[in-house]
Amino acid sequence: MGFLQRPVVVTADINLNVVALTAVGLLSRLWQLAYPRAVVFDEVYYGQYISFYMKRIFFLDGSGPPFGHMLLALGGYIGGFDGNFLWNRIGAEYSSNVPVWCLRLLPALAGALSVPMAYQIVWELGFSPCAAMGAALLVLIENALVTQSRLMLLESVLIFFDLLAVLSYLKFFNSQKYRPFSLSWWFWLTLTGVACSCAVGVKYVGVFTYLLVLGVAAVHTWHLIGDQTLSNVCVLCHLLARAVALLLIPAATYLLFFYVHLALLCRSGPHDQIMSSAFQASLEGGLARITQGQPLEVAYGSQVTLKNAFGKPVPCWLHSHQSTYPVIYESGRGSSHQQQVTCYPFKDVNNWWIIKDPGRHQLVVNNPPRPVRHGDIVQLVHGMTTRFLNTHDVAAPLSPHSQEVSCYVDYNISMPAQNLWRLDIVNRESDAEVWKTILSEVRFVHVNTSAILKLSGAHLPDWGFRQLEVVGEKLSRGYHESTVWNVEEHRYGKSQEQKERELELHSPTESDISRNLSFMARFSELQWRMLTVRSDDSEHKYSSTPLDWVMLDTNIAYWLHPRTSAQIHLLGNVVIWASASLATMVYALLFLWYLLRRRRKVYDLPEDSWLRWVLAGALCAGGWAVNYLPFFLMEKTLFLYHYLPALTFQILLLPVVFEHISDHLCRSQLQRSLFGALVVAWFASACHVSNTLRPLTYGDRSLSPSELKALRWKDSWDILIRKH
């Protein structure tokens, strides 16, 4: 009990530089955060998803995983937002129920904390506090980074987790030298994996930084394996620790994002239609309300609607109607003049089909029902016209290499019915699998010709009411979702007479069978849809190319005040952008020069300086490259803000190059002094440009026409020259 007789003392090392940088970072990002109280640029896009979260309505966004959206929604939840706001116009004034400050809070905090993290990264790389302070101040004053972090947008959050991943790995790497397997060692290694997963969870492009960290960690691990001072067991423990922290934990964290996302969004919404019937049925309302009482097993005599699994160009259901194919198409080819079969993108009574046993005439379900199984031969009878689904060796109207699909009309000519189909359950677990409502994915293989019922996706002309073409794909090119169908609505048919059956087809379904999907099934489908959904790639007036970003040959007008000339633009500090690009080129040239000379056994740098120089380049120049170069391969609409993560890594490299030139290339004290004076003058010019562009960064001041003209970003150098 002696410890009770002595006071408990806690000591801590506090870096006042980090404290000061955090304070000024918060001031620069949080000052007048709720201004402007209007929708600014992409806030119109992210705000819709925040409203969906507040109302727990399911949505699908192909731009990225849900973690970033959930962080924005957390701000809305903290502020008590009820989700009631119409996000339909940039510049629209926010109503009183929208907590603007809270909605913009988390991106602003992420931007503010990136400032001290920049300091710590350069410090952990082994460079001086002066270089670390320079990196942090450049992140602090860079206008584009300030603008982007003060709005309800995700780039600042992505940059925060990118930097956190790099910083955590450096902390881990440095603790590896002195305290492997210590508590701090495990903490920083685990945090590296979590931060990487968070970066990917905010936007898919976060995977580039994740791969960079994995690459650097792999190189360091390779050197560790060659360390003869470590035992085999110790090396194995190192490998397992890295595998768990950098592979398993990020994967588990990524799954956790989707688990929370799907748990929150439990209600049917406007994006349901692109998902499978099983996914839709797992949501409250919508399809779940319609299908709640359906029988699970499809039997002979069942009345069903068949939805195509592909969902492109739009979700649709197998459909037929009284109209027939034209005798002669516009191309001059002839048709069978049979009843049209299409895929219709709306729910309709003509979407109902009856599953018939070819050996029996009845169109009702027996008692007990006889379930249909994989491999069974069936006929599909159109419910409203009682004609049989048919295909034959006649070219389809818009896909001449495929067969026409029709409902057979007996014209008393030499064209016999060919209406037998073999059921192929694609996702079966055994060859005796029973055909199940919603859950089973099936193909219909024509018995006579081996053609597979397929949605071609082409829109029929006016004679086909612009509905989608359905064909028989004779030359199957393997599995494709366009050939897969599932039963969405289902009832057991009871009426043999046509008039009674038509009334039955209009009536609601019965019995109550739950068909909730597992989390992994829902995650797999949602992830696939997010990766494959077609985004809007139309040209935008502010879109740009990756080459425009490096040269700062573009900007974006984010917001214009409706009554004054106050406005917010996303535009960069030309001094910082140009210098960062120049520093990257200087680094690359110096690295190649040193590498060639080391090959010739000429060592210009001490070994520790060389390793520090290489690691700084791998993380900073490498961070710029992996976050910039992939955009040249992307076929999507690009904007200037896509460059900001790459720019941040470039900014970190800038003071590293300055310090290297001062310490290793300036031979005398006089040269160092002159170079230091040049750096100070350069930093002063960067601060001046930042202050000059401040009205367009914060948008808090009306500008005269002459000021607006002078503040065009291309005139930044002219501003500097005129005022000096």
Side-chain angles (χ1 to χ4, degrees), residues 400-414:
H401 297 294
S402 301
Q403 292 182 179
E404 174 193 86
V405 174
S406 63
C407 278
Y408 183 74
V409 181
D410 188 1
Y411 288 119
N412 224 5
I413 57 175
S414 57

Side-chain angles (χ1 to χ4, degrees), residues 66-88:
F67 181 56
H69 299 79
M70 288 193 293
L71 288 178
L72 296 180
L74 177 62
Y77 178 78
I78 293 171
F81 183 40
D82 56 9
N84 292 319
F85 183 76
L86 187 60
W87 307 87
N88 63 347

Side-chain angles (χ1 to χ4, degrees), residues 275-287:
M275 307 305 292
S276 71
S277 300
F279 193 101
Q280 293 180 55
S282 68
L283 300 171
E284 297 175 8
L287 182 62

Side-chain angles (χ1 to χ4, degrees), residues 660-719:
H660 181 83
I661 292 174
S662 176
D663 291 349
H664 298 284
L665 300 184
C666 295
R667 300 299 182 183
S668 65
Q669 185 60 43
L670 178 61
Q671 290 177 339
R672 292 190 184 94
S673 300
L674 290 175
F675 182 75
L678 286 175
V679 170
V680 170
W682 167 86
F683 182 74
S685 66
C687 291
H688 177 73
V689 172
S690 178
N691 185 63
T692 302
L693 299 178
R694 184 188 173 284
L696 298 184
T697 301
Y698 290 87
D700 57 350
R701 182 167 68 85
S702 296
L703 301 170
S704 66
S706 60
E707 286 178 311
L708 285 173
K709 184 177 180 181
L711 281 174
R712 287 180 304 173
W713 76 266
K714 289 184 178 180
D715 297 327
S716 295
W717 288 108
D718 294 338
I719 299 168

Side-chain angles (χ1 to χ4, degrees), residues 50-70:
I50 294 174
S51 289
F52 285 140
Y53 274 116
M54 297 300 104
K55 298 179 179 180
R56 306 195 68 178
I57 294 174
F58 174 78
F59 68 87
L60 175 68
D61 177 24
S63 68
F67 181 56
H69 299 79
M70 288 193 293

Side-chain angles (χ1 to χ4, degrees), residues 312-314 316 341-343 455 457-460 466-470:
K312 296 179 181 180
V314 290
C316 61
V341 171
T342 64
C343 208
L455 169 67
H459 285 273
L460 294 168
R466 310 299 298 177
Q467 295 174 17
L468 299 174
E469 181 190 43
V470 173

